[in-house]
Amino acid sequence: GAVVSQHPSRVICKSGTSVKIECRSLDFQATTMFWYRQFPKQSLMLMATSNEGSKATYEQGVEKDKFLINHASLTLSTLTVTSAHPEDSSFYICSASTGVGYGYTFGSGTRLTVV
Amino acid sequence: GNSVTQMEGPVTLSEEAFLTINCTYTATGYPSLFWYVQYPGEGLQLLLKATKADDKGSNKGFEATYRKETTSFHLEKGSVQVSDSAVYFCALSEATGNQFYFGTGTSLTVIP
């Protein structure tokens, strides 16, 4: 079945630095990818939707200049948390789709800790 | 709009007990319904899904039936194991879109 690889699984960074998280579809082309954020003991909140070759669509309240999303190819999307602060510490999960009506596959998630 | 309401946890059961986790939804169209499981420290894994009314999704002993009349998709398992301890998320996706709407998740702990 479809596999989405998310890397890194865990990252600790210093406040003020930037962190890049990669999401790759390993055996299919993903026209659409989604980035979610999960706060402790809460559900997943959609941050943004990215379509290959176009700008990402951010959900209300998500700072697009802070959470940079790039979907430059059909197999790779990246989320960069810029100038990270402790409040950005969270679990970030991507999911990928081959298009409307097709399946969705989730990555294994990235635990970001900003110290 | 679209939303998913899931029973609050945490739920603690003894091994071999019967499990029910309630899930109801509101949707503007004809959604597909899903249950995802998240083991500690990991991402989400699809547990089962149903794409139309009266469909039953099943996997690893878990079952859920798409009930349009009650707008529900309750998760059940007849005999839980310690290894089933995880957080379970109910979700829906509209047929015309890719976005998921998740419930808040229900934490299940199974004790020996």
Side-chain angles (χ1 to χ4, degrees):
Chain A
V3 177
V4 171
S5 174
Q6 189 172 339
H7 179 80
S9 58
R10 294 178 183 272
V11 59
I12 301 173
C13 70
K14 292 184 177 180
S15 186
T17 62
S18 296
V19 174
K20 180 183 285 187
I21 303 169
E22 293 188 347
C23 181
R24 292 180 183 273
S25 56
L26 297 186
D27 50 4
F28 67 101
Q29 293 183 328
T31 56
T32 304
M33 289 188 174
F34 303 87
W35 287 95
Y36 293 85
R37 181 174 180 177
Q38 184 182 30
F39 293 97
K41 298 184 179 181
Q42 295 188 28
S43 189
L44 282 74
M45 301 300 295
L46 180 66
M47 297 175 66
T49 302
S50 71
N51 295 297
E52 186 267 338
S54 62
K55 291 184 178 180
T57 302
Y58 289 82
E59 296 299 303
Q60 191 172 8
V62 177
E63 299 176 61
K64 61 181 180 181
D65 293 331
K66 181 169 189 60
F67 299 99
L68 301 179
I69 291 172
N70 183 281
H71 193 163
S73 78
L74 285 170
T75 60
L76 174 64
S77 176
T78 60
L79 167 67
T80 302
V81 183
T82 62
S83 186
H85 292 283
E87 58 265 30
D88 299 324
S89 298
S90 193
F91 195 59
Y92 295 87
I93 304 177
C94 68
S95 74
S97 167
T98 55
V100 175
Y102 293 86
Y104 320 93
T105 304
F106 285 80
S108 55
T110 298
R111 173 74 60 193
L112 171 64
T113 303
V114 184
V115 297
Chain B
N2 298 317
S3 67
V4 176
T5 302
Q6 195 173 335
M7 69 180 282
E8 294 187 13
V11 174
T12 302
L13 294 173
S14 297
E15 204 166 21
E16 299 183 1
F18 184 85
L19 169 71
T20 299
I21 301 178
N22 290 337
C23 172
T24 57
Y25 68 90
T26 58
T28 54
Y30 301 94
S32 294
L33 302 174
F34 305 80
W35 277 100
Y36 281 86
V37 58
Q38 184 180 32
Y39 297 102
E42 299 184 13
L44 270 66
Q45 299 176 27
L46 177 63
L47 181 60
L48 54 84
K49 68 178 182 181
T51 58
K52 61 183 186 295
D54 300 325
D55 271 2
K56 177 185 284 188
S58 62
N59 185 26
K60 299 180 180 179
F62 291 89
E63 292 183 341
T65 300
Y66 190 142
R67 301 287 188 197
K68 187 177 179 182
E69 63 275 16
T70 54
T71 61
S72 65
F73 194 55
H74 304 322
L75 181 68
E76 296 182 336
K77 186 174 185 180
S79 177
V80 294
Q81 305 300 312
V82 173
S83 57
D84 294 327
S85 298
V87 179
Y88 293 82
F89 291 93
C90 185
L92 74 80
S93 179
E94 287 281 11
T96 55
N98 281 304
Q99 184 175 337
F100 273 84
Y101 298 86
F102 287 91
T104 52
T106 301
S107 174
L108 170 67
T109 300
V110 180
I111 55 177

